[in-house]
Amino acid sequence: MQNKSMRENAFYNTIKQICTGLFPIITIPYTTRILGAENYGRVNFCISIISYFVLFAGLGIATYATRQSAILKNNKKDLDKFTSQLFTTHIIMSIIALLLLFFLLLICKGLYQYRILLMVQSFMIVFNIFNIEWIYSAFEDYKYTTICTIIVQIISLIFLFTFVREPSDYIIYSIIYVISYSGMYLLSFFNVKKYTRVKITKHPNAIKHILPMLILFSNELMVTIYVNSDITLLGILSNDENVGIYSVAVKAYTVFKRMFGAVIVVMLPRLSYYYIYDKKGKYNELLRKAFNCIILLIFPVSIGMLFISDELMLLLGGKAYLVGSNSLRVLSIALIFSTIANFYATSVMLPSKQEKKLLLITVVSAVVNIGLNLIFIPKLGFLATALTTMIAEIIVAILSSLYSKKIFVPKIKLNFLIDILIGIVAIIIICLFIEQFEFNYILKLILKVFLSVLMYATVLLIRKNEIAINILKKKK
């Protein structure tokens, strides 16, 4: 197996996810002010609908292919055959998804006013056919996809600031969104020949792949439901303005979530390999190191996010969106549980092929999330959507850890937890101290982030935290 540096992989994929996350962070302050909460809400409501069709067309292919191609990567003939079969299957499913979308537009009168937006965004389904990032993941080549992502985001930014100038330009904004979403897929597709040959085949062998893909698809569907149903139901039970306000809070939350997800997802190909060929050795060692790193970072990030919620909402949307700060605070707590749940699902349950158990977990969380949304959205508005997201993430984290305990049980030393606790207390004190001054919100944001990071790192070094010391040694 080709052993590239895990740190290098994590670095490039983190950069990629940060760039993907920074794109909305950079564009949101502009688009929310230009388009207004109502038009911005319309766009995000339609994106939440299209996401289900993109997911249906994908049929769980990406996750299944990432795991399987990591095993087949040393056999080019088998890999070429496998890749072509999944590519052909994806084309077939995308055609079906487009037909279902057009049928929905014909029968659902409530969506008629959104028809142009939905037609524009339907190209996300088409371009997603070329999403074969899983090949790069299998060969642990995150550098190329990161470069492509940066190029596409820069081009999209230029288009945005050039062509989106007034509220009526929300259709143009949707086109640019599709470009930012799909451009990297096209660039990476035409370079994939260095690893495998992708072509349409007359024999996709769907029966062989369909069962494991359906299980993964069902799991991804349930995840999408409890992630996107908030915005979908908020749009149905409330109004476009509330969707716009909540969408800003979700975008900020998603940036931090992606940063941790980027580190976790790069481990899937190697963990799948280790689980088969070296189950009790490198597999458990990698899990232990990864879990400790995640715990060391997720708590200060979550607490820090809680204390900069007002500044983030002002930065991203302005005063009109400040009412969404409490939703962002709730989501900052949800971040802890979503990251832990993601770790167990991606790093333990998927490599050990526990897709059925993972599906059960996500079904339970999705049902709870939808049920609570239907009850509380009419009463609490977008605050309810944040609370139900947090509850869903807690359920997934608890259940996934229970199902994973036969394979992996984290062992965290008391001193390690004390390091984190002292660091968190230091962050809280700094943020509360800065709140006492009448600074501009941008200055407050900068001071809180910079001083919190500095203080937390200092606490870890003073306490001689093992991970912090090792990082410092490697930097030197």
Side-chain angles (χ1 to χ4, degrees):
M1 178 178 179
Q2 186 178 1
N3 285 315
K4 294 188 178 181
S5 168
M6 187 69 73
R7 290 192 300 275
E8 181 182 348
N9 293 337
F11 170 76
Y12 280 119
N13 201 40
T14 302
I15 293 297
K16 175 187 169 184
Q17 296 299 332
I18 289 175
C19 289
T20 304
L22 280 179
F23 178 72
I25 292 296
I26 295 171
T27 59
I28 285 174
Y30 181 77
T31 53
T32 51
R33 289 166 172 82
I34 295 294
L35 301 182
E38 185 175 353
N39 286 338
Y40 186 69
R42 286 176 183 171
V43 173
N44 283 277
F45 174 65
C46 291
I47 290 172
S48 73
I49 293 174
I50 291 295
S51 64
Y52 296 110
F53 292 91
V54 171
L55 180 65
F56 174 79
L59 197 67
I61 288 173
T63 306
Y64 170 71
T66 300
R67 186 181 65 196
Q68 294 301 114
S69 57
I71 299 171
L72 297 173
K73 60 188 287 185
N74 293 324
N75 188 326
K76 192 175 187 308
K77 183 179 178 180
D78 287 346
L79 181 62
D80 290 347
K81 182 180 178 182
F82 175 77
T83 304
S84 297
Q85 288 175 347
L86 294 193
F87 179 66
T88 305
T89 302
H90 200 167
I91 292 174
I92 296 170
M93 294 306 302
S94 297
I95 293 172
I96 296 173
L98 287 169
L99 292 174
L100 289 174
L101 174 61
F102 296 148
F103 179 71
L104 180 66
L105 288 174
L106 288 174
I107 65 171
C108 187
K109 295 181 179 179
L111 293 178
Y112 185 77
Q113 61 177 315
Y114 301 104
R115 64 191 184 282
I116 298 177
L117 272 174
L118 289 170
M119 293 295 288
V120 168
Q121 293 174 8
S122 68
F123 280 93
M124 292 166 63
I125 301 172
V126 177
F127 293 133
N128 200 53
I129 292 172
F130 301 98
N131 178 13
I132 52 174
E133 276 191 87
W134 42 270
I135 286 291
Y136 294 91
S137 298
F139 285 88
E140 302 187 25
D141 182 3
Y142 293 91
K143 183 177 181 179
Y144 180 79
T145 54
T146 299
I147 294 172
C148 289
T149 298
I150 294 172
I151 291 172
V152 171
Q153 301 298 354
I154 291 173
I155 292 173
S156 300
L157 281 175
I158 294 171
F159 285 171
L160 176 71
F161 295 129
T162 303
F163 298 111
V164 178
R165 295 296 184 86
E166 54 188 43
S168 60
D169 291 335
Y170 65 92
I171 300 293
I172 298 175
Y173 171 69
S174 284
I175 295 173
I176 295 171
Y177 182 89
V178 172
I179 293 172
S180 68
Y181 172 87
S182 310
M184 195 277 292
Y185 298 156
L186 296 174
L187 290 176
S188 59
F189 181 81
F190 293 108
N191 184 64
V192 79
K193 61 184 178 181
K194 64 188 291 188
Y195 296 118
T196 184
R197 291 182 61 192
V198 184
K199 60 181 180 180
I200 298 175
T201 177
K202 295 180 181 179
H203 307 287
N205 202 11
I207 296 176
K208 177 182 177 181
H209 305 298
I210 198 72
L211 183 58
M213 287 197 305
L214 277 177
I215 295 173
L216 289 168
F217 163 73
S218 301
N219 177 59
E220 291 174 7
L221 176 61
M222 291 300 106
V223 171
T224 301
I225 286 174
Y226 86 72
V227 170
N228 286 352
S229 63
D230 296 343
I231 292 178
T232 306
L233 292 175
L234 190 61
I236 295 171
L237 301 175
S238 185
N239 55 58
D240 291 332
E241 183 177 356
N242 281 341
V243 172
I245 293 171
Y246 181 67
S247 295
V248 172
V250 170
K251 292 288 174 61
Y253 162 73
T254 303
V255 170
F256 292 99
K257 187 174 180 177
R258 278 178 172 167
M259 288 171 61
F260 286 97
V263 177
I264 294 171
V265 76
V266 299
M267 296 188 294
L268 178 56
R270 193 169 296 188
L271 285 170
S272 298
Y273 184 89
Y274 284 163
Y275 187 83
I276 294 174
Y277 298 108
D278 189 15
K279 183 176 178 180
K280 294 182 180 180
K282 295 179 180 179
Y283 177 79
N284 287 322
E285 180 185 355
L286 180 56
L287 280 180
R288 181 185 62 81
K289 289 181 179 180
F291 186 82
N292 287 344
C293 286
I294 288 168
I295 292 299
L296 188 69
L297 296 175
I298 188 59
F299 281 96
V301 169
S302 176
I303 298 302
M305 181 177 164
L306 190 149
F307 279 95
I308 62 173
S309 295
D310 284 345
E311 289 79 11
L312 280 176
M313 294 301 289
L314 285 170
L315 175 66
L316 298 176
K319 291 183 179 179
Y321 294 80
L322 188 58
V323 292
S325 294
N326 285 334
S327 293
L328 184 54
R329 290 187 181 95
V330 173
L331 291 174
S332 70
I333 303 301
L335 180 66
I336 296 173
F337 299 99
S338 69
T339 303
I340 293 174
N342 189 15
F343 171 82
Y344 280 111
T346 304
S347 304
V348 182
M349 299 187 74
L350 284 179
S352 59
K353 298 186 178 182
Q354 297 188 66
E355 292 91 346
K356 293 181 180 179
K357 292 180 180 179
L358 191 57
L359 173 59
L360 176 62
I361 292 171
T362 48
V363 167
V364 171
S365 62
V367 170
V368 171
N369 190 37
I370 292 174
L372 292 177
N373 272 323
L374 291 172
I375 295 171
F376 293 110
I377 284 178
K379 299 176 182 178
L380 299 176
F382 46 74
L383 181 59
T385 57
L387 289 169
T388 56
T389 296
M390 181 180 71
I391 293 170
E393 300 289 13
I394 291 173
I395 291 172
V396 177
I398 293 174
L399 293 180
S400 59
S401 64
L402 291 175
Y403 278 124
S404 301
K405 66 181 180 180
K406 290 183 179 180
I407 300 173
F408 173 72
V409 177
K411 297 178 181 179
I412 302 177
K413 297 178 181 178
L414 179 60
N415 283 339
F416 188 83
L417 294 176
I418 293 175
D419 295 347
I420 297 173
L421 181 60
I422 295 174
I424 289 174
V425 171
I427 290 173
I428 294 173
I429 292 173
I430 286 172
C431 290
L432 290 176
F433 177 74
I434 294 173
E435 280 293 332
Q436 305 306 310
F437 298 93
E438 296 295 330
F439 294 142
N440 175 275
Y441 72 88
I442 294 179
L443 180 58
K444 275 188 177 182
L445 179 62
I446 293 172
L447 287 174
K448 285 181 179 180
V449 172
F450 176 75
L451 293 178
S452 294
V453 171
L454 181 63
M455 182 57 70
Y456 190 72
T458 302
V459 168
L460 295 182
L461 292 174
I462 291 175
R463 293 274 306 170
K464 297 182 179 179
N465 180 271
E466 180 183 355
I467 295 177
I469 295 297
N470 285 338
I471 292 174
L472 184 63
K473 287 180 179 178
K474 287 171 184 176
K475 289 289 183 182
K476 289 182 178 180

